[in-house]
Amino acid sequence: MLQRKNSRSHIFLLFLFLLIVLGVSFVGRIYAFAPVKIMDASMTPKFKEQSTHWMCKLPQCLAQVKDQDVVWLTLKSGETMVRRVLAMPGDSIEITDKGRVRTPHRNFTWKGEDAFIQSKTIYIPKAGDTLYFDKLNEVEQDYILTYLHTHGEKIAVKSSLWQGDREINIDRVGATKIANRQVSLKEVDFLPWQDRYLIELQIRQAEPGNAPIKIKRELFRLKPAKLELSPPPSAMDTTAEDKDTVKVDSSKAAKADSTQKDSVAAKPAEPEPEQYLDEPLNMIVIEEDCYYMTCLKGSSCSDSREMGYFTHKDIIGLYMEWPDRFKAKVINPILHYTNLAIDYALALLAPEEEPNKEESKEVPNNNATSNE
């Protein structure tokens, strides 16, 4: 029996078994599971900052994502984050200015929520939905613009200012302020809905009449970019052959600059913004299921409130709870009692300190001395 255990075949089989176990662990670590470290306090108290948790990357796990699940997300910038699913594709949720949240699955109060300065109802689109831009509220419009941008759509927004059914000059926006700075007309098209709401309130206080003030937006496709001609070289560096080429290539530019012959560096007139706009884009077809992801902590956290909808392709991992349970119920108690045993053993092995002879001397009895 002893000879069999020490045989070369037995050692080879043991080595092969360990090699297989190591290979399976390596493959599982790369393709199936991943430890993810939480880098901030946005998911407290469930996930502490700098804590590590395991995520399942298998397609079987990602296909089972449901409400309240914690998922691992990837951003277009390449960064990743861990967030919770608040709403599923096809859900309608309501978030009030008091932090109360209503979903088809549950109602609760979101402590610390400060992004919604006005109560809004939000629809979470699913694959195949057809949305109409002019029928969406301000929050949904912001989210759809982000969705189109991340899917490579070349779009432009044109804003107009209305008081009831009457259109007023959009230049009125330039007299308002946000965070103690003047609002520029160039930025009003893509300001977040909270800033546009504050602009509407300021104009409403200044404009006479009872009709509400509303900034309406229209969505357009952008025209394909045209190939721009490179500027002609200077006369001193141009040969006779090059001059003929420049004359042919820049004939249109010469006509446009005929009124600026005496100018050394004539700048071509910039086209009006409307010249870049193509056909209006009002009907939008959603190609992927969308989710509404949030932090567990309401304030100072980036999630769907700021970045809009996340799609199923953005989910790269599903949080597995059993490793944390196993760690809390098995590994942590073992480590705790092991440390206690080590401390106890070290205390037994430590040499006892001899009492100080000077401190051990008896103190003379003052009372007895005085009686004598």
Side-chain angles (χ1 to χ4, degrees), residues 123-137:
Y123 174 71
I124 315 302
K126 59 182 182 296
D129 281 347
T130 300
L131 306 179
Y132 293 90
F133 189 77
D134 58 353
K135 302 298 182 183
L136 304 177
N137 61 38

Side-chain angles (χ1 to χ4, degrees), residues 56-103:
C56 176
K57 301 191 296 182
L58 294 173
Q60 294 83 352
C61 295
L62 302 183
Q64 298 176 0
V65 174
K66 60 184 182 300
D67 175 64
Q68 285 191 318
D69 278 345
V70 175
V71 295
W72 187 26
L73 302 168
T74 180
L75 306 179
K76 305 306 177 184
S77 61
E79 299 179 358
T80 61
M81 62 172 56
V82 175
R83 295 293 181 263
R84 181 187 63 174
V85 179
L86 178 66
M88 298 288 291
D91 289 347
S92 290
I93 63 174
E94 181 185 0
I95 304 179
T96 70
D97 55 348
K98 304 297 182 181
R100 288 189 289 270
V101 181
R102 301 182 181 91
T103 74

Side-chain angles (χ1 to χ4, degrees), residues 9-146:
S9 60
H10 180 77
I11 296 175
F12 175 76
L13 290 177
L14 180 61
F15 175 76
L16 183 62
F17 174 76
L18 293 176
L19 190 62
I20 293 174
V21 171
L22 182 62
V24 171
S25 302
F26 178 77
V27 172
R29 166 65 181 83
I30 297 298
Y31 298 101
F33 309 103
V36 177
K37 189 173 185 180
I38 307 297
M39 301 305 298
D40 54 26
S42 59
M43 297 297 288
T44 55
K46 185 176 179 62
F47 302 100
K48 296 181 180 179
E49 187 175 358
Q50 301 297 323
S51 61
T52 302
H53 306 272
W54 285 88
M55 302 289 169
C56 176
K57 301 191 296 182
L58 294 173
Q60 294 83 352
C61 295
L62 302 183
Q64 298 176 0
V65 174
K66 60 184 182 300
D67 175 64
Q68 285 191 318
D69 278 345
V70 175
V71 295
W72 187 26
L73 302 168
T74 180
L75 306 179
K76 305 306 177 184
S77 61
E79 299 179 358
T80 61
M81 62 172 56
V82 175
R83 295 293 181 263
R84 181 187 63 174
V85 179
L86 178 66
M88 298 288 291
D91 289 347
S92 290
I93 63 174
E94 181 185 0
I95 304 179
T96 70
D97 55 348
K98 304 297 182 181
R100 288 189 289 270
V101 181
R102 301 182 181 91
T103 74
H105 315 282
R106 68 195 185 283
N107 301 333
F108 66 98
T109 299
W110 193 356
K111 295 182 180 180
E113 202 294 307
D114 56 0
F116 279 79
I117 59 177
Q118 189 182 23
S119 300
K120 294 292 181 181
T121 300
I122 308 166
Y123 174 71
I124 315 302
K126 59 182 182 296
D129 281 347
T130 300
L131 306 179
Y132 293 90
F133 189 77
D134 58 353
K135 302 298 182 183
L136 304 177
N137 61 38
E138 297 85 353
V139 184
E140 294 170 330
Q141 286 185 354
D142 282 0
Y143 294 167
I144 287 298
L145 290 177
T146 304

Side-chain angles (χ1 to χ4, degrees), residues 306-356:
E306 176 185 342
M307 295 181 285
Y309 305 124
F310 287 87
T311 64
H312 195 271
K313 290 182 179 179
D314 298 326
I315 303 175
I316 57 176
L318 176 65
Y319 166 65
M320 298 185 299
E321 193 170 0
W322 66 264
D324 287 345
R325 289 183 176 180
F326 180 78
K327 180 181 178 181
K329 293 183 178 180
V330 178
I331 297 179
N332 288 344
I334 291 176
L335 293 177
H336 175 69
Y337 288 112
T338 301
N339 291 331
L340 290 179
I342 293 174
D343 293 340
Y344 180 73
L346 292 176
L348 292 177
L349 296 176
E352 295 183 0
E353 295 182 358
E354 296 183 0
N356 194 343

